[in-house]
Amino acid sequence: MQSPVQLSKADARRALVRHHFAPCSTQREAFERLRSVQFDPIAPVGCNHDLVLQARVKGYKIGDWQKTAYDARLVYDGWDKQASLIPFEGWSMRRIIYSIHRKEFEEKIFRDHREAVDLVLKEITERGALMPRDFEFQQRREEWKGSWFGPSVTKQTLRALWHSGLIMTATRKGGQHVYDLTERVVPAELLLLPMLSQEDAIRELALERHRAMGILRPAASYEIWANRPLAMGKRAAITELVGRGEVVPVEVEGMQAHAPRAFLALLDQPALPPRVRFIGPLDQFMWDRKMIAHLFGFDYIWEIYTPEVKRRWGYYVLPILFGDELVARVEFYCRRGVLELRAWHFEDGRCGGKFFGELEKSLREFMKYCSATSVQVVSGIDERVAELAARIG
């Protein structure tokens, strides 16, 4: 059994921050590093996928991902850790997800509503990419009210086809999927590739997770491994990856994990220049909150689904990274050119003398990201932050 590489928390923090936040010159570079970006439609200040990209790509603005996905066709809407934006080079290994999801819809849709499947595919084939409301075939089943995709047979059929890989998202309008045949979305050279065996696909997906996160605990919560193949076979896959030398056991002051060799090479690199970064709630950096608590002494709960009376921090609160420390939390809201600071919480004693100068720079960049022309601060915000915001906006 291979002995784990021993790391200090300080070394692990420095390497983890460099792995995630070394600046990317393009979105493509960011996607290549992260392997996928979790898609979430809630948008108080851009969506999660926007926030993930703004923390890495200088000059990124809300919605810029759509050109990368739908014009350049470098990434696609798919399923990885929940709904995600995924580089197309990862499509082949993720085909196993389609085959597993297909089984979930086999009886309800593909057997009991075979006619709906045929009619929906026929319309897309003949008419091109369509939104659900654009289909001539519209059918409802009132007994499906309250189900995940609602009473529309049309919508339920589309989602079954999407999850099974027969159709994909060609673009979005107003945030809604516009569906087309898979063969008209996926680059032709990828369509010709053979499907990986289940064992090979699970191993490659497990390696993707390690590449994305940099350091990953095998005991990390289910959500991190949240696609069905990984839930089925991660243990055997990790054992094989260790045997191949593609990931290495590490121990960080009592925490057991694995890391790719490329991540370990970052241990010899200096810390990134200190910069204030606003981190999305579903950013890869924050996926394993137990690890974040262990390494950074920062307990984070995304309280969006917590009843308001039970929230400690706020509805949509972003961790704030400065250098290799998580120093504060902020809740932003932006509409009609006004960026609101609705909540601000400092971690005790974690912002040094240079913090406020860097915060001003980052706030100005964040305003450009969300196309804000002014800043408003609610009462009760830390006086130093409020004064800084007043100077800016």
Side-chain angles (χ1 to χ4, degrees):
M1 184 175 179
Q2 186 175 346
S3 298
V5 175
Q6 299 294 319
L7 303 178
S8 68
K9 290 181 182 180
D11 285 344
R13 285 197 303 268
R14 186 183 71 251
L16 196 65
V17 169
R18 177 171 280 279
H19 169 75
H20 280 282
F21 300 113
C24 298
S25 57
T26 64
Q27 288 183 57
R28 182 171 194 163
E29 185 180 346
F31 277 108
E32 286 174 350
R33 182 185 303 169
L34 295 173
R35 312 313 303 153
S36 68
V37 173
Q38 190 167 345
F39 187 101
D40 189 86
I42 301 169
V45 61
C47 299
N48 176 73
H49 40 285
D50 290 305
L51 289 164
V52 169
L53 292 169
Q54 67 79 31
R56 294 164 173 84
V57 183
K58 187 174 178 60
Y60 179 88
K61 299 184 72 172
I62 290 173
D64 282 353
W65 66 271
Q66 296 185 72
K67 295 177 183 177
T68 302
Y70 305 133
D71 296 339
R73 290 280 188 231
L74 296 177
V75 302
Y76 69 95
D77 276 326
W79 196 265
D80 188 47
K81 183 186 179 291
Q82 308 298 324
S84 299
L85 300 171
I86 306 164
F88 262 111
E89 58 264 31
W91 182 80
S92 183
M93 73 179 70
R94 287 177 177 82
R95 289 174 64 188
I96 188 176
I97 300 173
Y98 293 133
S99 65
I100 291 172
H101 282 185
R102 165 71 184 249
K103 297 174 184 176
E104 299 176 9
F105 297 95
E106 195 64 49
E107 182 176 328
K108 180 178 179 180
I109 300 296
F110 290 100
R111 189 193 73 185
D112 293 351
H113 290 84
R114 182 70 246 178
E115 182 181 11
V117 171
D118 292 340
L119 289 171
V120 165
L121 287 174
K122 184 174 186 291
E123 282 201 56
I124 296 176
T125 300
E126 294 177 353
R127 298 176 58 199
L130 297 169
M131 296 177 68
R133 69 186 183 203
D134 295 332
F135 283 83
E136 293 177 5
F137 170 74
Q138 295 290 339
Q139 188 179 90
R140 291 170 62 88
R141 291 193 60 169
E142 295 306 318
E143 66 268 33
W144 285 357
K145 276 188 176 179
S147 65
W148 184 253
F149 298 124
S152 170
V153 175
T154 307
K155 288 183 179 180
Q156 293 245 17
T157 300
L158 285 166
R159 296 307 291 174
L161 292 168
W162 188 87
H163 277 285
S164 302
L166 296 175
I167 62 174
M168 295 180 72
T169 306
T171 188
R172 287 179 184 251
K173 291 182 180 179
Q176 294 188 48
H177 294 267
V178 181
Y179 297 104
D180 205 348
L181 299 176
T182 293
E183 56 264 34
R184 297 202 291 234
V185 176
V186 177
E189 63 272 17
L190 295 180
L191 288 170
L192 297 174
L193 293 176
M195 188 168 176
L196 297 180
S197 69
Q198 179 169 299
E199 181 181 347
D200 288 347
I202 292 172
R203 184 190 65 249
E204 291 305 310
L205 287 169
L207 182 57
E208 286 275 276
R209 275 291 186 274
H210 287 84
R211 286 173 173 165
M213 294 185 65
I215 185 170
L216 176 55
R217 296 184 303 126
S221 65
Y222 168 79
E223 291 79 10
I224 294 170
W225 303 97
N227 62 47
R228 196 64 57 81
L230 283 176
M232 293 164 45
K234 69 170 184 177
R235 187 183 298 274
I238 292 172
T239 298
E240 185 173 354
L241 290 171
V242 171
R244 288 167 170 246
E246 293 184 272
V247 301
V248 176
V250 298
E251 182 175 337
V252 188
E253 298 186 25
M255 184 192 75
Q256 306 292 326
H258 295 90
R261 292 191 178 279
F263 176 82
L264 296 179
L266 298 177
L267 295 166
D268 296 326
Q269 299 294 315
L272 291 175
R275 175 190 160 191
V276 172
R277 291 177 173 85
F278 306 113
I279 311 300
L282 303 175
D283 193 299
Q284 270 89 330
F285 182 72
M286 298 300 300
W287 277 1
D288 189 349
R289 292 169 192 167
K290 286 186 177 180
M291 182 177 70
I292 291 297
H294 182 73
L295 297 185
F296 293 85
F298 186 88
D299 292 316
Y300 180 72
I301 298 174
W302 192 33
E303 296 180 311
I304 190 169
Y305 300 115
T306 303
E308 186 173 359
V309 295
K310 295 184 178 180
R311 289 178 191 146
R312 183 180 179 189
W313 308 112
Y315 171 71
Y316 199 100
V317 170
L318 310 182
I320 299 176
L321 183 72
F322 179 54
D324 59 2
E325 295 283 349
L326 287 163
V327 300
R329 309 158 201 255
V330 62
E331 182 172 7
F332 288 122
Y333 184 83
C334 187
R335 290 295 184 273
R336 294 183 290 277
V338 179
L339 177 64
E340 297 180 23
L341 271 68
R342 293 186 166 183
W344 186 285
H345 308 276
F346 274 118
E347 297 290 294
D348 293 340
R350 295 195 187 179
C351 57
K354 295 182 179 180
F355 173 78
F356 288 97
E358 292 299 319
L359 175 61
E360 180 171 352
K361 293 178 188 176
S362 292
L363 270 177
R364 290 185 185 278
E365 291 178 4
F366 201 75
M367 289 177 68
K368 293 177 183 177
Y369 150 77
C370 60
S371 299
T373 55
S374 64
V375 182
Q376 290 184 358
V377 179
V378 302
S379 61
I381 293 287
D382 183 280
E383 289 184 4
R384 296 164 296 177
V385 176
E387 291 173 4
L388 187 154
R391 286 202 308 272
I392 294 174

